[in-house]
């Protein structure tokens, strides 16, 4: 397992030797979660509260996907699934969860492996479930000298965000980790972040991000 990115947890690492398909509940959102990233969630729809309760009890992940069509929040009294997700998303593992107010769950999740949706099905309560197949994650790769200017920028951003937003371990020498973190912080539309998430080659992702930042004289 030494080839696995250091920022994947042992739980995620074990998935690489497990069957490459899994059935998970899906949470379509208007944002993108990257592997190794952190995302704060405010969950209040009953179908997602039930999903979160089951995942927390069983210590299982769910899938976060960017919405392709539809709305993030159902209209009052509406139970049918209203959001069609993009085909590629990321497993989400609960890190924290707290219900300070009845019916509202505040949670933080960590991004695990990327996946592709194979067979989605909508439950009676409107929750979307799907069999997914995991996408390959490459072995850690060094950052080419031509694009090394993104690293000092990311270090500064990490220092500003602090460990709450960008917790350790950091991997500033890994092209995939740096690319995912830059994808999270660049001020572009969610669809652009989705396209970056979908790229299998971390060097291609890093080159695109470097070009974007260089055009704005940030590197």
């Amino acid at each position: 397992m030494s080839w696995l990115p250091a920022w994947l947890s042992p739980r995620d690492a074990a998935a690489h030797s497990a069957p490459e398909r899994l059935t998970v509940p899906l949470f379509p959102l208007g944002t993108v979660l990257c592997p190794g990233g952190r995302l704060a969630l405010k969950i209040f729809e009953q179908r997602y509260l039930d999903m979160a309760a089951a995942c927390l009890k069983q210590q299982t992940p769910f899938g976060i996907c960017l919405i392709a069509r539809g709305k993030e929040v159902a209209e009052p009294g509406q139970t049918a699934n209203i959001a069609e997700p993009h085909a590629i998303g990321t497993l989400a593992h609960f890190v924290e969860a707290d219900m300070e107010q009845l019916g509202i769950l505040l949670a933080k999740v960590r991004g695990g492996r990327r996946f592709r949706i194979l067979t989605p099905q909508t439950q009676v309560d409107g929750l979307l479930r799907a069999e997914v197949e995991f996408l390959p994650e490459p072995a850690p790769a060094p950052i080419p000298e031509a694009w090394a200017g993104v690293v000092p920028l990311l270090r500064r951003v990490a220092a500003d965000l602090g460990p709450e937003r960008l917790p350790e371990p950091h991997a500033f020498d890994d092209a995939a980790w740096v690319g995912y973190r830059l994808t999270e912080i660049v001020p572009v539309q969610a669809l652009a972040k989705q396209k970056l998430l979908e790229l299998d080659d971390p060097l291609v992702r890093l080159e695109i991000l470097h070009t974007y930042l260089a055009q704005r004289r940030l590197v």
Side-chain angles (χ1 to χ4, degrees):
M1 292 293 183
S2 59
W3 57 269
L4 291 170
W7 40 273
L8 284 179
S9 73
R11 187 186 184 100
D12 290 314
H16 286 260
S17 59
E20 293 297 301
R21 293 187 178 186
L22 186 68
T23 298
V24 294
L26 299 180
F27 195 174
L29 291 173
T31 190
V32 173
L33 175 65
C34 291
R38 294 295 192 273
L39 187 62
L41 298 176
K42 183 178 181 181
I43 303 173
F44 52 87
E45 288 191 66
Q46 190 59 50
R47 53 181 166 171
Y48 296 125
L49 288 171
D50 294 341
M51 177 201 74
C55 290
L56 287 165
K57 181 179 180 180
Q58 300 165 15
Q59 295 187 327
T60 53
F62 60 99
I64 287 181
C65 301
L66 180 68
I67 293 173
R69 282 172 290 277
K71 300 179 180 179
E72 187 170 302
V73 180
E75 299 292 339
Q78 186 175 12
T79 58
N81 192 64
I82 54 170
E84 179 183 340
H86 283 271
I88 292 178
T90 305
L91 285 185
H93 301 265
F94 279 105
V95 176
E96 298 178 17
D98 187 24
M99 186 173 286
E100 296 182 353
Q101 181 179 345
L102 185 63
I104 299 179
L105 181 70
L106 301 179
K108 295 179 181 178
V109 298
R110 171 185 55 80
R113 296 189 67 184
R114 296 179 307 144
F115 61 79
R116 184 189 311 276
I117 296 173
L118 297 178
T119 54
Q121 293 184 333
T122 304
Q123 297 181 170
V124 175
D125 63 358
L127 181 70
L128 189 64
R129 297 183 66 88
E131 182 184 18
V132 303
E133 63 176 359
F134 294 121
L135 299 178
E137 290 296 345
I143 297 172
E145 183 64 30
W147 309 326
V150 301
V151 176
L153 172 65
L154 184 57
R155 286 186 180 275
R156 293 194 298 271
V157 172
D160 289 341
L161 294 177
E164 181 72 15
R165 293 278 304 279
L166 211 162
E168 295 183 351
H170 297 160
F172 291 108
D173 58 348
D174 179 13
W177 187 87
V178 169
Y180 282 139
R181 302 293 76 79
L182 289 172
T183 297
E184 293 165 350
I185 64 175
V186 291
V188 298
Q189 293 182 349
L191 183 58
K193 294 177 185 280
Q194 176 69 23
K195 297 303 182 183
L196 289 167
L197 174 72
E198 293 177 1
L199 293 171
D200 289 329
D201 189 334
L203 296 182
V204 172
R205 183 184 300 113
L206 198 59
E207 180 181 13
I208 293 170
L209 287 161
H210 181 273
T211 299
Y212 173 86
L213 294 168
Q215 289 173 345
R216 287 151 183 80
R217 299 183 179 180
L218 296 174
V219 295

